[in-house]
Amino acid sequence: MKNTINVLFENQVNETPELIAVVEGNKEISYKELNKKVNQFSGFLIESGVKKGDRVCLVMDHSIDMIVTIFAIIKSGATYIPMEPTFPTKRINFIIEESNARYVVSHSKYDDIFENKEKIIHYDTNILKDFSENNIDNLNDDNSVMYVLYTSGTTGKPKGVMVEHQNVCNYVKAFKDYFKINTSDKMLQSSVCTFDIFVEEVFPILLTGGSLVIANAKQNKNPMDLLDLIKEKKVTLTSTFPYFLNDINKSIKSLDEIPSSWRIAISGGDTLRKEFITKISEKLRIFNTYGPTETTVCASYFEYDKNYNLDTIPIGEAINNVNIMILDNDLKEVEDGAFGEICISGKGVSRGYLNLKEKTNENFIVNPYNPEERLYRTGDLGRKLPDGNFDFLKRKDEQVMILGKRVEPLEVENVMLKDDSIKNVIVKPNQDVNGYSYLTAYYIQNNDKPDSITNIKSKMMDYLPEFMIPEFFVKMSEFPLTANGKINKNAFPVIMK
């Protein structure tokens, strides 16, 4: 049997046809009905010209329709590329163009976003009725690219990570085996579709027979509203950024406010701190996870234990069929306890970057300890603890995590330099008292074409999502220099948050 997500999904439909697959507000859909819609829409896509290996973008509200679209694109043999409608229009159109997408599936209310209207397909249930509800032949192979997620890039343009079916299949199995999920489980869907957490929310639960519970935009803005949704829909699992857990931990007055159904809280995308979970860890099983997009969602898990004798919370041990090593600059393993670069091999390592062969070859190398597989160099510093768990320290370079998403300060600089009012700029990451990263832009104004910070930020938002806009802007007459004439970033004033 081929190791593809669409085959595993059809197998699950056969096992649990009448169980509820997806819940959206007051609407819900069974596995059988979901699969019928998926088959109909995949039939429409194929008749519209989608072929095996094509790429199809989607810019949609989070809904049952979005889940149908994702699985339909997969079944048609194509690769899905998700984007949020709230993303900057220039970023959306760049990704559509750069990925050479055949189509973009969206809603008519978002038509103004797109430069090339000919590529738009409006998802509408009326277009489904003319197509068969039956399964189609599997059009994918183990190494077919299932999705492309775009992350921050140093060139000022995002880079697309190509993740194959076999990568996701391995992750789904590892997740199911580790967390022991079953048909009675309900997973909250609250992540943006462009981040790995979305993959973790959607696919393991729908390949188990459980239910996916989709939060709406309003609920996603308020942690306590999400807590109410967890209680109302009897959600059992969440996978979120650590800030959500911190907000809940600070907001509740009693553990009785934690819904009795909620049993597992998975944290990823940024550093989980003991102070964030002082109360809720008394009632919930909390897991810290780690893994770059390039190695498919997560590479390691750690179940929190308040008696664990370490100031920080480890990122745990490698998941099934994944290997983590700590290597020095010469790719030699360092001693346990010594810091080095976190390097990952195994079945989670993705194909690489779309249209960026040189960058792929730089980060994805032949594993010196097993020449038959590839090794991904994460650029993160970490160490292996005596008990076998791994500990994350920080990035080797200046890449930072902001709201759980990777940001290259150089990308922000390159966007700012497009502005004629800016002569030069340095974007520096700093950390607040809680250890969260934020950006400060230090810039030298072009006196011939001065502009306000409000206008500068407005122009930046044509290219960058909101989380990549620096929180502080410092206008300088010149940059301080070292004795060697280089810019001395350490001499820049620090704006404390």
Side-chain angles (χ1 to χ4, degrees):
M1 181 186 298
K2 289 189 175 181
N3 201 22
T4 66
I5 287 296
N6 50 294
V7 169
L8 295 181
F9 176 66
E10 289 173 0
N11 292 343
Q12 189 60 56
V13 172
N14 290 334
E15 289 180 23
T16 56
E18 304 303 330
L19 294 185
I20 299 301
V22 187
V23 178
E24 176 202 343
N26 295 323
K27 296 188 291 186
E28 56 185 36
I29 189 168
S30 69
Y31 277 83
K32 180 172 67 177
E33 293 305 313
L34 176 64
N35 190 47
K36 286 180 181 179
K37 288 181 179 293
V38 169
N39 289 334
Q40 288 176 309
F41 195 36
S42 63
F44 171 85
L45 291 173
I46 290 169
E47 185 172 284
S48 299
V50 173
K51 298 181 178 60
K52 179 178 179 178
D54 280 348
R55 290 182 279 274
V56 178
C57 294
L58 64 139
V59 181
M60 302 178 72
D61 296 328
H62 289 234
S63 59
I64 291 172
D65 292 347
M66 175 191 251
I67 302 303
V68 170
T69 298
I70 287 172
F71 276 94
I73 293 170
I74 291 171
K75 275 202 181 191
S76 70
T79 298
Y80 80 86
I81 304 176
M83 289 178 281
E84 295 289 338
T86 54
F87 271 25
T89 56
K90 283 187 171 63
R91 194 177 186 88
I92 290 173
N93 285 292
F94 166 80
I95 290 173
I96 293 169
E97 183 69 24
E98 201 271 342
S99 66
N100 193 28
R102 178 171 284 275
Y103 288 114
V104 181
V105 182
S106 188
H107 310 288
S108 58
K109 63 182 178 180
Y110 295 128
D111 279 359
D112 289 345
I113 290 175
F114 308 109
E115 294 172 358
N116 187 346
K117 302 290 194 289
E118 294 180 0
K119 289 191 173 186
I120 301 173
I121 290 175
H122 295 139
Y123 181 89
D124 185 335
T125 52
N126 290 326
I127 65 177
L128 304 184
K129 62 181 184 297
D130 295 329
F131 295 89
S132 172
E133 297 177 344
N134 297 325
N135 289 333
I136 63 174
D137 292 338
N138 176 34
L139 298 174
N140 294 301
D141 300 306
D142 296 11
N143 61 353
S144 296
V145 177
M146 181 174 137
Y147 62 80
V148 175
L149 292 186
Y150 275 80
T151 65
S152 183
T154 56
T155 63
K157 298 175 181 177
K159 58 183 186 292
V161 181
M162 299 181 288
V163 180
E164 299 176 350
H165 277 261
Q166 59 189 347
N167 301 139
V168 185
C169 288
N170 182 73
Y171 187 73
V172 166
K173 186 176 188 310
F175 186 97
K176 291 169 66 172
D177 290 347
Y178 188 88
F179 293 104
K180 311 295 185 203
I181 59 176
N182 56 56
T183 55
S184 64
D185 276 310
K186 295 181 179 181
M187 169 69 88
L188 178 68
Q189 198 290 288
S190 61
S191 170
V192 294
C193 62
T194 53
F195 194 59
D196 300 86
I197 288 177
F198 181 87
V199 175
E200 183 166 82
E201 291 171 336
V202 172
F203 294 101
I205 197 71
L206 292 182
L207 299 180
T208 299
S211 299
L212 181 71
V213 177
I214 300 175
N216 62 38
K218 179 178 178 295
Q219 290 164 333
N220 275 325
K221 291 178 180 177
N222 189 324
M224 296 309 289
D225 285 350
L226 280 179
L227 194 66
D228 289 340
L229 179 64
I230 291 170
K231 182 177 182 179
E232 177 192 350
K233 301 298 184 182
K234 296 181 171 54
V235 168
T236 60
L237 300 102
T238 62
S239 178
T240 64
F241 298 130
Y243 340 116
F244 169 72
L245 300 180
N246 186 36
D247 286 337
I248 297 297
N249 193 67
K250 286 181 177 179
S251 299
I252 62 169
K253 296 178 176 62
S254 163
L255 285 176
D256 292 338
E257 295 178 62
I258 300 294
S260 58
S261 63
W262 191 12
R263 63 186 181 89
I264 288 178
I266 302 167
S267 174
D270 211 334
T271 304
L272 177 65
R273 303 180 186 282
K274 292 181 179 180
E275 301 79 37
F276 296 173
I277 52 175
T278 50
K279 289 185 282 190
I280 61 175
S281 60
E282 297 293 327
K283 190 165 182 179
L284 298 172
R285 293 178 67 194
I286 296 176
F287 295 83
N288 193 29
T289 64
Y290 167 82
T293 300
E294 288 86 345
T295 59
T296 314
V297 192
C298 294
S300 65
Y301 300 141
F302 178 82
E303 182 168 7
Y304 174 70
D305 178 356
K306 66 179 180 180
N307 297 316
Y308 193 85
N309 189 25
L310 197 69
D311 291 337
T312 58
I313 301 176
I315 57 175
E317 296 180 323
I319 66 172
N320 290 346
N321 298 317
V322 170
N323 185 42
I324 298 176
M325 292 183 289
I326 308 296
L327 305 182
D328 63 18
N329 291 334
D330 297 320
L331 299 179
K332 305 295 184 185
E333 286 196 80
V334 303
E335 296 180 357
D336 288 358
F339 283 103
E341 183 177 5
I342 300 174
C343 296
I344 301 171
S345 62
K347 291 188 176 180
V349 177
S350 64
R351 184 180 294 189
Y353 304 114
L354 180 63
N355 301 329
L356 293 173
K357 186 175 181 180
E358 186 175 332
K359 185 68 175 175
T360 297
N361 292 338
E362 178 185 333
N363 291 357
F364 296 80
I365 64 172
V366 175
N367 186 349
Y369 300 92
N370 182 0
E372 294 184 359
E373 65 178 15
R374 292 185 309 150
L375 182 79
Y376 176 68
R377 303 187 65 173
T378 68
D380 294 333
L381 292 176
R383 61 178 173 171
K384 187 174 184 179
L385 302 170
D387 63 0
N389 283 299
F390 289 91
D391 188 28
F392 170 82
L393 178 64
K394 63 176 183 178
R395 288 288 302 173
K396 286 177 66 179
D397 54 25
E398 287 196 333
Q399 188 183 84
V400 293
M401 299 296 289
I402 295 180
L403 296 180
K405 303 168 186 70
R406 286 189 289 176
V407 175
E408 295 272 9
L410 186 58
E411 179 178 3
V412 182
E413 291 175 7
N414 285 333
V415 167
M416 290 188 70
L417 288 170
K418 293 176 184 287
D419 191 329
D420 290 338
S421 71
I422 292 175
K423 187 176 180 180
N424 202 354
V425 63
I426 296 291
V427 175
K428 274 193 66 178
N430 290 302
Q431 288 190 330
D432 63 18
V433 292
N434 291 317
Y436 288 148
S437 295
Y438 63 95
L439 297 179
T440 301
Y442 303 86
Y443 71 101
I444 298 173
Q445 185 174 262
N446 182 351
N447 292 327
D448 293 333
K449 298 181 180 179
D451 206 348
S452 68
I453 292 297
T454 300
N455 287 340
I456 290 171
K457 290 172 70 173
S458 178
K459 285 180 277 188
M460 290 176 69
M461 292 186 75
D462 286 340
Y463 298 91
L464 300 173
E466 188 174 358
F467 68 86
M468 293 180 71
I469 306 297
E471 290 202 39
F472 303 104
F473 290 77
V474 180
K475 186 167 76 171
M476 305 179 74
S477 59
E478 59 183 15
F479 291 149
L481 303 177
T482 65
N484 295 326
K486 295 182 179 180
I487 294 175
N488 184 3
K489 294 182 181 181
N490 293 327
F492 283 37
V494 177
I495 309 299
M496 299 302 294
K497 181 182 175 185

